[in-house]
Amino acid sequence: RYGDAGPGFVYVERPWDWYARAGLRLRVRGAWGFNNLIFNKLADSRYGLGGVNFFAHEGGGRTSLSLRDPRPDGYSFVELYYLEQPGGGGLNLVVNDRTWTIGEEDPKPTKTMAAFKAVVLDEPLRDVSLETRSWRPARVFGLVLETDRRGVVWDSIGLVGARALHLLNFDATHLKGQLRRRNPALIVLQYGLNEAQAERSPGKRFRKKQREVLAALREAAPDAACLVIGPYDNGVFEEGRLRSKPIIPKLIEVQRET
């Protein structure tokens, strides 16, 4: 009905083994590591739009995305989300065999900040790859793939094990910059199953954090609509019968309140 305008934001590495996006083939070579906002071990709390910071400290690292079924009316826009930093390592962004050099051009970066490299194609995308060029540290957040056709772009971002409060681990200014770059029309939040493992009823702290998360997103993307989806049912065996966890409706009630 609305059309498909591309997969949107995709990771450049697998934050977990089963990560995949429909229609895309991801291949990785070399020593890429990552930090995510769940464990929040980055001093600057810059995790990119997807909540995962990918890094490399040596040359030769390579990640590539290719289309499983290239189409003549395929993707025509590619954008790299990365961190520009003094002394940072260089990257090669290779799109359809054409190379853009990033990170070691003159003048050299004088401060650390999120940066973006957009490429508009005059032919359908076949493949895109990202290569590290030196031993200096490089930090990357992800790639955006879109078409120039009218349609829906769905940035599918979900961190395994995350709870809503983990969104507060973002540096607020960084999150605002990432979301405003994407300019979403709708933000969908679905949390609750990890919170449901707590067994106890959600208290004042849970309510407070829920409000803070929504306020942070509202500040970062004031023009976006927001849809909060509660956890689906979760059962436990009691006296030989399967029963819904009592905490599930309580979590949903709090989400509706906030």
Side-chain angles (χ1 to χ4, degrees):
R1 179 179 177 183
Y2 297 103
D4 178 3
F9 187 88
V10 297
Y11 293 125
V12 297
E13 234 279 43
R14 293 181 180 87
W16 45 89
D17 290 342
W18 55 90
Y19 173 75
R21 294 298 302 274
L24 298 177
R25 182 182 292 108
L26 175 63
R27 295 187 177 94
V28 181
R29 182 190 72 197
W32 288 90
F34 65 88
N35 320 95
N36 66 49
L37 57 79
I38 297 175
F39 299 103
N40 197 26
K41 293 185 177 181
L42 285 179
D44 61 15
S45 297
R46 293 180 171 113
Y47 293 98
L49 181 69
V52 183
N53 167 77
F54 299 94
F55 62 86
H57 292 278
E58 60 185 47
R62 188 175 191 272
T63 182
S64 63
L65 283 166
S66 59
L67 306 187
R68 293 184 182 277
D69 185 21
R71 301 178 343 199
D73 60 345
Y75 310 136
S76 56
F77 177 80
V78 176
E79 186 167 37
L80 174 67
Y81 281 47
Y82 68 103
L83 193 75
E84 189 175 78
Q85 55 187 332
L91 298 164
N92 286 336
L93 177 64
V94 184
V95 184
N96 285 3
D97 300 323
R98 183 179 174 188
T99 301
W100 283 264
T101 300
I102 298 168
E104 292 184 344
E105 60 278 296
D106 291 321
K108 298 290 191 298
T110 58
K111 61 181 180 179
T112 300
M113 60 186 295
F116 313 91
K117 177 62 180 179
V119 176
V120 179
L121 301 173
D122 56 8
E123 62 176 342
L125 176 69
R126 298 188 303 275
D127 52 65
V128 55
S129 64
L130 189 65
E131 304 167 347
T132 58
R133 296 177 49 226
S134 72
W135 56 267
R136 295 187 181 92
R139 290 173 60 181
V140 177
F141 304 129
L143 287 162
V144 167
L145 306 179
E146 295 181 1
T147 73
D148 58 3
R149 301 187 306 273
R150 183 185 179 100
V152 174
V153 176
W154 183 267
D155 291 350
S156 180
I157 299 169
L159 292 175
V160 175
R163 302 186 180 196
L165 62 84
H166 289 135
L167 291 175
L168 299 175
N169 290 339
F170 273 113
D171 174 84
T173 301
H174 176 71
L175 175 62
K176 184 184 297 185
Q178 296 287 293
L179 280 174
R180 292 195 175 180
R181 184 71 176 186
R182 288 302 284 146
N183 190 27
L186 172 67
I187 296 175
V188 180
L189 297 175
Q190 184 174 18
Y191 289 97
L193 280 182
N194 290 314
E195 285 87 344
Q197 307 312 308
E199 299 296 341
R200 59 183 181 274
S201 297
K204 292 181 179 179
R205 182 176 181 272
F206 180 81
R207 286 175 165 82
K208 180 176 180 290
K209 294 299 181 183
Q210 291 292 308
R211 293 190 183 98
E212 289 177 3
V213 166
L214 294 175
L217 293 174
R218 190 176 296 114
E219 170 68 19
D223 296 328
C226 183
L227 172 64
V228 178
I229 301 176
Y232 50 81
D233 202 3
N234 198 236
V236 291
F237 275 102
E238 293 181 351
E239 299 178 353
R241 297 182 63 184
L242 184 63
R243 301 179 184 275
S244 295
K245 279 190 172 183
I247 194 175
I248 294 292
K250 294 177 182 178
L251 287 169
I252 293 173
E253 180 183 353
V254 172
Q255 290 175 329
R256 283 176 173 161
E257 289 176 1
T258 54

